């Protein structure tokens, strides 16, 4: 398969994963508003940030990226603090989710050789387009949290 075909294939996959990320955010928003009262919704999303950050530890174990453990643990700890803080302060979620989306994009770029700045083994491998999906989801959720911040703070 030629470079052009691979590039076109990646673009198609990226657009699909972006779309799925946006639709997943819409579904999350719809369901959380149906299930939770505002303060419980905020707490749920704060704890959920911790869970989604933890995926990188699972990826490091699965892909056997031993040199990535220290950096991935640091990332998980940062997002855990943001998530726990977000259970009380909405701004932590408004900022935390997009930062997590940027962390996901960093991994995606690294996986495709577009960002070798960290060295070959410092970031763990991720499934194809996972970072793109998460970028769309996390940025959408951050925007949603911004709209809910006053209701959550009440």
């Amino acid at each position: 398969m030629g470079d052009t075909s691979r590039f076109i294939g990646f673009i198609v996959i990226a657009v699909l994963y972006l779309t799925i990320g946006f639709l997943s955010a819409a579904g999350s928003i719809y369901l959380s508003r149906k299930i939770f009262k505002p303060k419980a919704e905020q707490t749920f999303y704060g704890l959920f940030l911790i869970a989604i950050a933890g995926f990188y530890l699972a990826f490091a174990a699965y892909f056997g990226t031993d040199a990535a453990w220290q950096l991935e643990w640091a990332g998980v700890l940062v997002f855990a603090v943001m998530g726990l803080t977000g259970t009380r302060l909405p701004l932590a979620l408004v900022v935390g989710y997009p930062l997590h989306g940027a962390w996901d994009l960093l991994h995606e770029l690294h996986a495709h050789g577009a960002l070798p700045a960290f060295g070959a083994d410092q970031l763990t491998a991720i499934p194809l387009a996972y970072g793109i999906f998460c970028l769309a989801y996390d940025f959408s959720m951050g925007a949603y949290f911004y709209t809910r911040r006053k209701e959550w703070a009440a």
Side-chain angles (χ1 to χ4, degrees):
M1 187 155 61
D3 287 342
T4 302
S5 295
R6 290 177 63 100
F7 179 73
I8 291 170
F10 178 75
I11 294 300
V12 170
I13 291 169
V15 169
L16 288 171
Y17 274 81
L18 274 171
T19 303
I20 293 167
F22 290 132
L23 292 173
S24 295
S28 294
I29 292 165
Y30 176 79
L31 289 174
S32 67
R33 288 182 70 114
K34 290 285 185 188
I35 296 170
F36 300 116
K37 292 183 179 182
K39 204 62 179 169
E41 180 187 38
Q42 177 185 355
T43 300
F44 170 79
Y45 282 119
L47 298 176
F48 191 64
L49 181 57
I50 299 167
I52 61 177
F55 270 86
Y56 283 97
L57 299 178
F59 293 150
Y62 180 79
F63 291 114
T65 318
D66 294 335
W69 281 100
Q70 187 174 1
L71 185 60
E72 299 300 353
W73 265 111
V76 169
L77 291 175
V78 166
F79 292 115
V81 168
M82 292 188 94
L84 289 174
T85 304
T87 64
R88 296 288 176 222
L89 300 171
L91 185 60
L93 298 179
V94 171
V95 172
Y97 271 76
L99 279 178
H100 184 262
W103 182 246
D104 295 321
L105 182 61
L106 179 73
H107 281 80
E108 189 74 37
L109 292 172
H110 184 267
H112 296 291
L115 191 67
F118 289 98
D121 294 331
Q122 292 222 329
L123 290 176
T124 192
I126 60 172
L128 178 64
Y130 177 80
I132 294 168
F133 162 81
C134 289
L135 180 74
Y137 182 85
D138 291 342
F139 271 77
S140 297
M141 296 309 292
Y144 169 67
F145 300 152
Y146 181 79
T147 68
R148 296 285 281 171
R149 72 192 187 289
K150 289 181 183 170
E151 194 170 353
W152 288 355

